[in-house]
Amino acid sequence: MDAGITQGCDTDRYCPDERISRAQMASLISAAYGLAPADQVYFHDAGGTHADSTQRLAEARISSGCDALGLDFCADVPVPRDQMASFLARAEDLVPAAAPIPMLLEPGDDGAAVEALQRRLHEADYWIGPIDGVYGTLTEHAVLAIQKVHGLARDGIYGPNTRAIVADPGTPTTGSSSGYVVEFDEDRQIVMLVQDGVAGRIFHASGGNEEYYEHEGTTYWAETPNGDWDIYREIDGWRTSHLGELYRPKYFHRDGIAFHGYTDVPAHAASHGCVRVSMDAMDWLWANDAMPTGADVLVYGEPS
């Protein structure tokens, strides 16, 4: 206590037989070694008295957390003797520093951190495709989807702002409250499979850009109409129409507008009126009968 490392567990008590948590351990090490304050937030599960100390451990590379993304410190978990030894050895520079916490992941990256990101997105109901540790197009699309839901810049890159959202993704708002509804939110450019007002799988999508276009001498308006519709027709294959090339379309509007797969699904509204998802996502929707004939469809918002 005289050294300012601990104040004990109560007035005039040290409680030597009680176990300490990882967060308490962080405060002991931070005080004993005079660790510098962190210049950013690393762990998102550490709050209260010891929160600052856990961030200092990350800044000093004494700990990289308890998951591959370094989002969690497992602050309330008791610290085993071997972990305590490792923390002290790093603080004394007796062993190499902890691995750097991945603050940025982007297309082309791979490894355990990417796999952990994919699992986090899957657990938050963002459609991710195979969890394979590769930051490919489908992972980029899932990152775009969570960025859209939370109003972040749509770049498909896991950076500091997206990192904070992945740590605590919350629950997306929906436009319906009962039954099974396939929703397309034009504001956010996402498709959601909603059951009784709760979003299940969430997909990155791109709808009508509300611009004029021409096809074989006729001018059309690229709109995904707002309203309550239903899936009334489907084609298990490619279809070519004035709206373009449609992969495995599920039609919900009599102007030939459908959900369909496409090779290019940008972050903004870009189609001639249909709702694009990736080819793999469309295959999943078919395989899981997620857009059956007769399913209710709700389109709302303005394209962005």
Side-chain angles (χ1 to χ4, degrees):
M1 291 181 67
D2 286 345
I5 296 174
T6 181
Q7 295 180 344
C9 64
D10 200 349
T11 304
D12 299 327
R13 297 183 63 217
Y14 184 69
C15 303
D17 295 328
E18 290 187 8
R19 302 179 72 180
I20 66 170
S21 68
R22 285 169 56 91
Q24 291 171 325
M25 173 275 307
S27 289
L28 292 173
I29 291 179
S30 179
Y33 289 92
L35 300 182
D39 61 6
Q40 58 188 313
V41 175
Y42 294 96
F43 305 124
H44 291 266
D45 70 333
T49 304
H50 307 287
D52 178 66
S53 296
T54 64
Q55 310 301 340
R56 291 179 185 230
L57 253 64
E59 185 82 7
R61 299 274 300 278
I62 293 173
S63 174
S64 55
C66 61
D67 70 318
L69 277 178
L71 289 172
D72 296 332
F73 186 69
C74 297
D76 297 329
V77 175
V79 58
R81 289 164 59 90
D82 60 343
Q83 287 184 9
M84 188 70 185
S86 294
F87 291 135
L88 290 171
R90 292 183 190 126
E92 291 282 355
D93 292 326
L94 299 176
V95 296
I101 292 174
M103 304 299 287
L104 178 70
L105 296 169
E106 56 191 345
D109 289 340
D110 58 25
V114 175
E115 182 176 341
L117 170 61
Q118 292 173 330
R119 291 191 184 282
R120 286 266 189 165
L121 290 168
H122 174 77
E123 290 164 2
D125 292 321
Y126 291 88
W127 190 79
I128 190 73
I131 296 175
D132 56 8
V134 177
Y135 203 128
T137 300
L138 299 186
T139 300
E140 181 182 5
H141 283 188
V143 171
L144 279 167
I146 198 170
Q147 289 173 338
K148 290 175 173 183
V149 165
H150 291 277
L152 302 181
R154 303 174 182 181
D155 59 9
I157 294 172
Y158 173 85
N161 292 334
T162 302
R163 187 175 189 271
I165 293 300
V166 169
D168 185 15
T171 304
T173 57
T174 61
S176 61
S177 59
S178 63
Y180 181 75
V181 183
V182 180
E183 294 189 11
F184 176 54
D185 182 342
E186 292 202 76
D187 291 319
R188 296 181 290 184
Q189 295 289 297
I190 55 170
V191 169
M192 295 184 289
L193 308 181
V194 179
Q195 180 67 56
D196 296 328
V198 179
R201 285 287 175 250
I202 306 161
F203 299 79
H204 163 61
S206 177
N209 60 16
E210 296 200 347
E211 297 177 1
Y212 289 106
Y213 69 97
E214 289 191 6
H215 177 75
E216 296 182 349
T218 301
T219 300
Y220 298 91
W221 176 245
E223 178 187 25
T224 308
N226 279 198
D228 295 296
W229 316 108
D230 61 83
I231 303 292
Y232 69 90
R233 182 189 180 200
E234 61 185 22
I235 297 176
D236 190 4
W238 283 96
R239 169 108 191 284
T240 301
S241 74
H242 70 277
L243 292 162
E245 297 288 327
L246 317 183
Y247 177 66
R248 306 187 80 179
K250 298 268 192 174
Y251 293 93
F252 63 87
H253 190 274
R254 266 58 184 180
D255 288 345
I257 296 172
F259 297 100
H260 68 86
Y262 200 65
T263 55
D264 179 29
V265 188
H268 54 276
S271 83
H272 288 158
C274 289
V275 181
R276 300 178 186 175
V277 296
S278 71
M279 308 274 280
D280 293 278
M282 201 66 208
D283 284 339
W284 185 92
L285 291 164
W286 271 80
N288 289 273
D289 199 24
M291 291 183 177
T293 301
D296 289 334
V297 174
L298 178 61
V299 179
Y300 52 91
E302 298 294 331
S304 60

